[in-house]
Amino acid sequence: MSRFALFLVTIFFVAACQSSEPVQSRVFPAVDWDHFDGYDAQYLLAPGDELEVIVHTAPELSRTVTIGPDGRFRMPYTGPIGASGRTVENVRVALNVALGSELKDPDLDVLLTATPSQQIFVGGEVANPGMFQLPGMIDPLQAIIMAGGLTTEARARQVVLMRRMPGGEVKSAVFDIKSGILDPRLAEWTPMRRFDVLYIPRSPIADQNLFVRQYIRNALPIDFSFFYDVSGNNNR
């Protein structure tokens, strides 16, 4: 075999070893999501957000409420209203139903008035992992730079992004940061959003969803852990 042919075989073998595709896991199922379709652009509420509730048919009930650490808030004549991980419109509908047992025809608006928490989490093989304030419309590479850049052990071709979607489900996607750095035409990454989790692994990801559960969700700071674990009554 000529040296050139041997060289081509070697390159093909190396490329094949580096292109393992993540597979689904029954432990943490996640449907593939198109992170360029704009569907995930809706703002999701979180603890600390402030809402102004205007009840037109009963002005005495109007007030400003703050979403508590448990992801809920209270209004007169209602039980706890779940708000974390939901849109403002979702909350308005839920509140309308809750007040319907006391008011004949509740007519209300819900306005988002304050958003004190705008953080993302960058972990894994970066120089300074941790929580960071979201400064604006940034992409995963900019978030990595905020965290001090990649370490020499980073698996830059399989960077994991985890996000809670408007419907409440948690989804994950894998980005090839290295290719985007080498060729700007490939750097069409989704913008980071509040409470996004970006994780840079050290070794190849054989099972994306099991990896997310074992190495990301269980290691999140408490604020992020709550946002991704909220369920049951907290998410109704």
Side-chain angles (χ1 to χ4, degrees), residues 197-218:
V197 175
L198 193 68
Y199 195 89
I200 298 85
R202 176 179 296 182
S203 58
I205 303 172
D207 186 327
Q208 174 188 342
N209 301 306
L210 185 60
F211 179 88
V212 166
R213 173 172 180 165
Q214 291 182 340
Y215 296 97
I216 303 181
R217 297 184 74 182
N218 295 340

Side-chain angles (χ1 to χ4, degrees), residues 45-48 67-72 82-85 162 164 168 170 195 197 217 219-235:
L45 298 168
I67 301 174
D70 64 350
R72 303 182 291 182
S84 183
M162 187 169 71
R164 182 176 284 281
V170 175
F195 284 118
V197 175
R217 297 184 74 182
L220 291 178
I222 187 168
D223 291 346
F224 281 75
S225 179
F226 172 81
F227 186 74
Y228 284 99
D229 291 339
V230 64
S231 60
N233 293 331
N234 289 344
N235 198 32

Side-chain angles (χ1 to χ4, degrees), residues 83-123:
S84 183
R86 307 175 77 175
T87 65
V88 173
E89 177 60 19
N90 292 154
V91 172
R92 187 196 69 79
V93 172
L95 191 54
N96 191 287
V97 172
L99 287 175
S101 61
E102 297 293 333
L103 301 178
K104 182 177 180 180
D105 184 22
D107 179 18
L108 58 92
D109 287 315
V110 177
L111 306 175
L112 178 63
T113 56
T115 56
S117 179
Q118 293 287 334
Q119 293 179 316
I120 58 175
F121 178 78
V122 184

Side-chain angles (χ1 to χ4, degrees), residues 150-221:
L150 298 170
T151 69
T152 56
E153 301 294 325
R155 185 76 177 182
R157 294 192 183 278
Q158 288 187 309
V159 174
V160 180
L161 173 66
M162 187 169 71
R163 174 175 299 169
R164 182 176 284 281
M165 306 296 282
E169 68 274 24
V170 175
K171 293 191 177 182
S172 61
V174 175
F175 291 89
D176 185 345
I177 295 293
K178 185 172 183 178
S179 293
I181 295 174
L182 298 176
D183 186 350
R185 294 173 298 178
L186 303 177
E188 297 181 354
W189 305 305
T190 182
M192 298 289 292
R193 308 217 181 275
R194 181 174 68 156
F195 284 118
D196 274 0
V197 175
L198 193 68
Y199 195 89
I200 298 85
R202 176 179 296 182
S203 58
I205 303 172
D207 186 327
Q208 174 188 342
N209 301 306
L210 185 60
F211 179 88
V212 166
R213 173 172 180 165
Q214 291 182 340
Y215 296 97
I216 303 181
R217 297 184 74 182
N218 295 340
L220 291 178

